[in-house]
Amino acid sequence: MLTDYQPIACDFYDQLEAAATRRQQVYLQYFNDLRQLCQESTTLRTFVTRDHAEYARLASGEEVRLDRIIRMDDTPAPAFADYPDFRCGC
């Protein structure tokens, strides 16, 4: 599914970048390329730009488009502020 990249809010980008700089373990909720909900604890390694879109490269090597990140830790991305936290409370 191809959709046009929507730039993310600068404040949220700054939070992602700070976590990457500190090599901090974070909890991410995001949509993958098939629009499936993904959740994982990971480390953000770096950011790359390709085909007019920005991506976060995770510790696993996977790349997540920044406008598909729903939440990092307890902070929702502004575009997904109304989405519930899908974390299991178990």
Side-chain angles (χ1 to χ4, degrees), residues 3 5-6 14 16-17 25-27 29-30 35 38-39 43 53 55 57 59 64-65 73-75 84-85 88:
T3 58
Y5 178 76
Q6 299 298 313
D14 291 344
L16 294 170
E17 189 174 46
Q25 182 91 7
V26 297
Y27 169 75
Q29 290 179 0
Y30 59 92
R35 295 289 293 172
C38 299
Q39 306 178 71
T43 304
Y55 296 82
R57 185 169 295 142
V64 176
R65 213 168 84 172
D73 292 332
D74 293 324
T75 305
D85 186 347
C88 176

Side-chain angles (χ1 to χ4, degrees), residues 60-72:
S60 65
E62 181 179 2
E63 292 181 355
V64 176
R65 213 168 84 172
L66 297 188
D67 64 342
R68 294 187 180 156
I69 295 175
I70 300 167
R71 164 181 312 277
M72 181 182 76

Side-chain angles (χ1 to χ4, degrees), residues 3-90:
T3 58
D4 290 338
Y5 178 76
Q6 299 298 313
I8 65 170
C10 292
D11 289 343
F12 191 66
Y13 183 89
D14 291 344
Q15 291 176 17
L16 294 170
E17 189 174 46
T21 300
R22 292 189 302 261
R23 303 264 191 252
Q24 174 184 344
Q25 182 91 7
V26 297
Y27 169 75
L28 282 184
Q29 290 179 0
Y30 59 92
F31 290 115
N32 65 13
D33 290 340
L34 300 174
R35 295 289 293 172
Q36 297 168 320
L37 176 67
C38 299
Q39 306 178 71
E40 66 181 281
S41 290
T42 188
T43 304
L44 304 173
R45 294 292 183 199
T46 190
F47 299 94
V48 295
T49 302
R50 184 176 57 257
D51 300 326
H52 307 287
E54 295 178 281
Y55 296 82
R57 185 169 295 142
L58 308 182
S60 65
E62 181 179 2
E63 292 181 355
V64 176
R65 213 168 84 172
L66 297 188
D67 64 342
R68 294 187 180 156
I69 295 175
I70 300 167
R71 164 181 312 277
M72 181 182 76
D73 292 332
D74 293 324
T75 305
F80 295 98
D82 295 332
Y83 272 60
D85 186 347
F86 293 104
R87 244 182 299 208
C88 176
C90 311

